[in-house]
Amino acid sequence: MSLTRENYPKDYRAGFTSFVGRPNAGKSTLTNALVGQKVAITSSKPQTTRHTIRGIVHRPEHQLVIVDTPGLHRPRTLLGQRLNDLVAETLGEVDAVGFCLPANEKIGPGDKFIAQKLGGLPPRTPIVALVTKTDLVTPAQLAEQLLAVSQLGDELLAPKGFAAVVPVSAKDGYQVEEVIGVLAKLMPQSPPLYPDGELTDEPEMKMISELIREAALEGVRDELPHSLAVVVEEIIPREDRPADNPMVDIHVNVFVERPSQKSIIIGKGGSRLRDVGTRARKEIEALLGTKVYLDLHVKVAKEWQRDPKQLGRLGF
């Protein structure tokens, strides 16, 4: 029997937890691991996430809504400032915070910057340190990092420090259920917030644009990810298709800031853009459950990261 708002257990808990951390701290990968399915795009490039993504974890005794946020950083552009503002807005609305710190990187100024920001949250908001990427370190290195993380909490989140410090590896599943359990205990008693089986409240169009951006990010030079924006213009069911073999046409604009970046995305003879389309189409067909024709166009929107009007048109 599936859970509803009428038949949930008496001590059922449900609420929101936000994952924060430096860019590339493993927030999106951990979100996907907890949900059990891909709801957030991931990349080795920092600042991949550009808006809040809700992933929903269902268990018989609780429901955890994970809000994956962009990486907090010292902004250099208007886009960067707007991403930071988005994180700050999200933190004010959740029941707990998961602060992601990679096990394989020493605590640095960026982590301390975030800890100081978290120190300004209301005392009622518990903060759990999630030491990610444990598969990349030895047990001795992990022990050293756990101690350093605990000390960071004691110094910058006084007097309470972290509510818990949990090592986890999204890659090999180590302690993924432990993270869910620790966070769930911090949620308020509540009926389920989302229907059983729903894994995200992301609009389909937004998920499609993110899957295309993820495909476009692979194998490009370091400066390009921040200059890349994807807008799905329209999704149209193909006419005259048999009912048992439907297809949708998806028309997409990929924006970069300079003509030289446009050349990188398109590649020699259009080879790179075709590769992006092929990879993205597989993911989109899995998402929609139908065949897809993907029409990609690359356009230049000069300095869009610093232009308020263009940021608005691109959805920021």
Side-chain angles (χ1 to χ4, degrees):
M1 182 175 69
S2 64
L3 279 176
T4 68
R5 291 183 67 86
E6 287 73 41
N7 72 357
Y8 64 94
K10 186 179 176 183
D11 57 352
Y12 193 86
R13 292 180 179 272
F16 294 84
T17 185
S18 180
F19 284 175
V20 299
R22 283 186 287 113
N24 212 21
K27 301 179 294 297
S28 298
T29 306
L30 183 57
T31 297
N32 291 338
L34 298 186
V35 174
Q37 185 172 310
K38 184 174 184 171
V39 294
I41 73 167
T42 60
S43 169
S44 58
K45 306 294 183 192
Q47 284 171 254
T48 301
T49 304
R50 282 191 178 155
H51 64 288
T52 54
I53 296 161
R54 288 187 179 91
I56 304 155
V57 180
H58 300 270
R59 293 293 183 272
E61 58 285 342
H62 51 251
Q63 185 182 85
L64 193 61
V65 185
I66 300 161
V67 187
D68 182 25
T69 62
L72 263 174
H73 60 292
R74 295 189 187 278
R76 294 193 298 271
T77 63
L78 182 58
L79 171 65
Q81 184 56 58
R82 288 195 178 175
L83 295 183
N84 272 5
D85 292 345
L86 183 62
V87 178
E89 186 182 313
T90 302
L91 291 176
E93 299 171 350
V94 296
D95 301 295
V97 174
F99 181 11
C100 295
L101 301 108
N104 63 328
E105 297 176 28
K106 288 191 181 299
I107 291 169
D111 299 307
K112 292 175 182 176
F113 170 75
I114 295 167
Q116 286 167 340
K117 293 274 186 189
L118 295 176
L121 291 175
R124 60 175 176 75
T125 308
I127 300 163
V128 174
L130 303 173
V131 180
T132 59
K133 307 185 184 184
T134 60
D135 53 289
L136 299 178
V137 297
T138 65
Q141 289 169 325
L142 178 58
E144 191 179 323
Q145 183 74 333
L146 292 174
L147 185 61
V149 167
S150 295
Q151 288 172 345
L152 177 71
D154 292 342
E155 288 169 17
L156 297 180
L157 299 175
K160 293 195 305 179
F162 289 118
V165 178
V166 187
V168 62
S169 169
K171 187 175 179 182
D172 61 19
Y174 171 66
Q175 295 237 117
V176 165
E177 280 299 321
E178 179 71 12
V179 170
I180 294 170
V182 168
L183 292 172
K185 286 176 185 172
L186 300 172
M187 298 299 109
Q189 289 195 341
S190 163
L193 302 169
Y194 288 88
D196 203 19
E198 192 167 313
L199 299 180
T200 182
D201 63 359
E202 273 288 274
E204 221 166 54
M205 194 173 270
K206 178 59 73 175
M207 288 192 77
I208 290 168
S209 71
E210 288 292 273
L211 289 170
I212 294 166
R213 191 161 65 89
E214 180 181 45
L217 281 171
E218 288 308 309
V220 297
R221 289 210 299 261
D222 288 344
E223 77 274 10
L224 194 53
H226 315 299
S227 303
L228 197 67
V230 177
V231 176
V232 176
E233 297 295 340
E234 53 184 357
I235 303 174
I236 309 169
R238 179 80 63 91
E239 292 182 6
D240 304 323
R241 294 283 296 191
D244 62 347
N245 190 20
M247 177 180 273
V248 294
D249 295 323
I250 303 177
H251 299 278
V252 179
N253 285 327
V254 178
F255 291 95
V256 292
E257 292 189 297
R258 298 191 297 276
S260 60
Q261 295 170 336
K262 181 176 178 178
S263 302
I264 293 170
I265 289 292
I266 293 174
K268 191 175 182 180
S271 59
R272 193 148 197 293
L273 191 61
R274 282 195 298 274
D275 185 50
V276 169
T278 299
R279 268 183 291 164
R281 191 178 70 248
K282 287 177 184 173
E283 296 271 8
I284 295 166
E285 287 179 342
L287 172 70
L288 301 181
T290 185
K291 287 183 179 176
V292 164
Y293 172 75
L294 201 52
D295 181 36
L296 297 176
H297 294 272
V298 185
K299 298 186 175 184
V300 177
K302 191 176 178 184
E303 299 293 327
W304 67 261
Q305 291 185 81
R306 293 169 172 81
D307 183 336
K309 284 186 181 176
Q310 294 202 86
L311 279 170
R313 282 199 293 269
L314 295 174
F316 298 105

